[in-house]
């Protein structure tokens, strides 16, 4: 529902397994500490994430998308 | 009933800073447990693998099989690719080794284990244990099974993406300008010069640089760091690196056999690296040199101090923030001034236009400098481009 006030919060954040190199750059830069790296799996705590997109910029290979 | 372990000193993370801390705490008589979330210490590598060497003796590291090449010097390439060479004579300690980082980490972990430290692999900390405002260990998982580890002193040596420090409430958050996003390819079939570590500065890597560190003839780590506040979109590190490689035939003909990524902090030193029951060390304490992006030397130097203080705190039963001022004073006396000075220099370098950068390196062509100090460089630049040195008055 783009354009509605709740649209921002409802946006989904994910890391593409095809691009991700599990380097942890996103984990280190997240100001709210809501990204978890477990070997070859990255997860985002969507309840805490404010979609500030710093991790999107930090990712050297462009694997993180907020849809 | 959840399984519970107890130790004097718990080190979270078995990188160089963690292993150094574990080794020196064990050598000084403490019971030490070091946990590592990965199944293999040192792997996968997240490092450019270049390091200086003058500090190794100080912390008790003997050069070993982990050395790929010993370089004669570093070459700084200005935006128009004029070269400033820094060698042992002119810089003293700015040159060193290109290493096999996983081998290096393993060697340090072996040292720690031989000094008496226990090591647990596949063991990740999931939260710190707090009692009355003091950290008394961590909750952990080994092979997915949860348990608790209680410790008099907990050490956060969990690297750039450090969780331990944040859980403990220590101020290690980074602003956009305090971080570089890095990507590196290990490339074969390239024309690298095994005598030098090369650094390319300017617009090719906003707020960072492109590096070429030779592993052997024809094989090199080719990487880039770009400052987050200076980039806009997604995957910029990769775009800048791919662009740079495409424009350099010596590397464009190479084949990539490995991709490494990661974050590097380029911040000022942190204001606090210890609290009741806990100390942070290495990248977790943002001890990376903000000018070079190198973290190994500082992590190991601080690790030795951290391990010694941890063991002493165990003996005296004083794992308090007040007692850990001994660690704060120790690592700051050894590293803080240089960290701050290099942060200032980095800020200045990042603000230079490509044109100014070219002028500086140009002014140094053919000039013999007895010692490569900022003062000597600026004197030489002043002789040819007096207008340029006006920008640097605070350094004179």
């Amino acid at each position: 529902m783009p354009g509605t006030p709740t649209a921002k919060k409802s946006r989904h954040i994910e890391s593409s397994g095809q691009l991700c190199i599990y380097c942890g750059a996103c984990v280190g830069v997240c100001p709210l500490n809501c990204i978890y790296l477990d070997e070859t799996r990255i997860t985002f705590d969507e309840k805490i994430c404010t979609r500030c997109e710093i991790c999107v910029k930090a990712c050297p290979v462009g694997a993180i998308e907020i849809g | 009933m959840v399984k519970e372990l107890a130790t004097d000193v718990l080190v979270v993370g078995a990188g160089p800073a963690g292993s150094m801390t574990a080794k020196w705490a064990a050598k000084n008589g403490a019971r030490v447990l070091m946990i590592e979330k990965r199944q293999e210490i040192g792997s996968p590598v997240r490092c450019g693998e270049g390091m200086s060497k003058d500090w190794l003796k100080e912390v008790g590291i003997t050069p070993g099989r982990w050395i790929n090449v010993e370089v004669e010097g570093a070459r700084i390439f200005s935006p128009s690719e004029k070269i400033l060479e820094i060698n042992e004579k002119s810089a003293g300690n700015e040159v060193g080794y290109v290493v096999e980082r996983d081998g290096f980490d393993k060697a340090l972990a072996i040292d720690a284990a031989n000094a008496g430290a226990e090591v647990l692999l596949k063991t990740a900390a999931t939260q710190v244990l707090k009692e009355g405002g003091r950290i008394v260990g961590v909750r952990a998982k080994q092979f997915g099974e949860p348990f608790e580890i209680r410790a008099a002193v907990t050490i956060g040596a969990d690297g750039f993406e450090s969780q331990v420090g944040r859980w403990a409430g220590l101020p290690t958050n980074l602003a956009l300008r305090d971080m570089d996003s890095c990507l590196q390819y290990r490339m074969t079939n390239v024309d690298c010069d095994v005598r030098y570590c090369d650094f390319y500065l300017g617009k090719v890597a906003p707020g960072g640089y492109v590096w070429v560190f030779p592993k052997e003839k024809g094989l090199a780590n080719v990487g880039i760091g770009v400052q987050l506040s200076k980039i806009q979109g997604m995957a910029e590190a990769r775009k800048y690196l791919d662009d740079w490689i495409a424009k350099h035939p010596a590397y464009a003909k190479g084949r990539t056999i490995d991709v490494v990524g990661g974050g590097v902090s380029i911040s000022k030193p942190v204001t606090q690296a210890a609290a009741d029951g806990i100390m942070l060390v290495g990248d977790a304490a943002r001890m990376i040199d903000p000018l070079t992006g190198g973290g190994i030397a500082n992590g190991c130097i601080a690790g030795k101090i951290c391990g010694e203080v941890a063991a002493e705190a165990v003996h005296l039963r004083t794992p308090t923030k007040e007692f850990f001022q001994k660690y704060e004073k120790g690592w700051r006396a050894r590293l803080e001034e240089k960290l701050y000075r290099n942060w200032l220099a980095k800020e200045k370098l990042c603000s230079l236009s490509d044109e100014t950068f070219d002028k500086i390196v140009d002014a140094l062509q053919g000039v013999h400098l007895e010692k490569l100090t900022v003062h000597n460089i600026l004197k030489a630049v002043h002789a040819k481009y007096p207008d340029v040195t006006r920008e640097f008055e605070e350094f004179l």
Side-chain angles (χ1 to χ4, degrees), chain B residues 90-107:
Chain B
S90 64
N93 61 359
E94 294 305 317
V95 295
Y97 301 125
V98 178
V99 303
E100 205 74 2
R101 189 46 212 282
D102 41 348
F104 178 77
D105 285 21
K106 286 186 178 83

Side-chain angles (χ1 to χ4, degrees), chain B residues 282-283 287-289 292-300:
Chain B
D283 291 9
M287 288 174 181
I288 292 177
D289 185 316
T292 65
I296 303 172
N298 290 352
C300 288

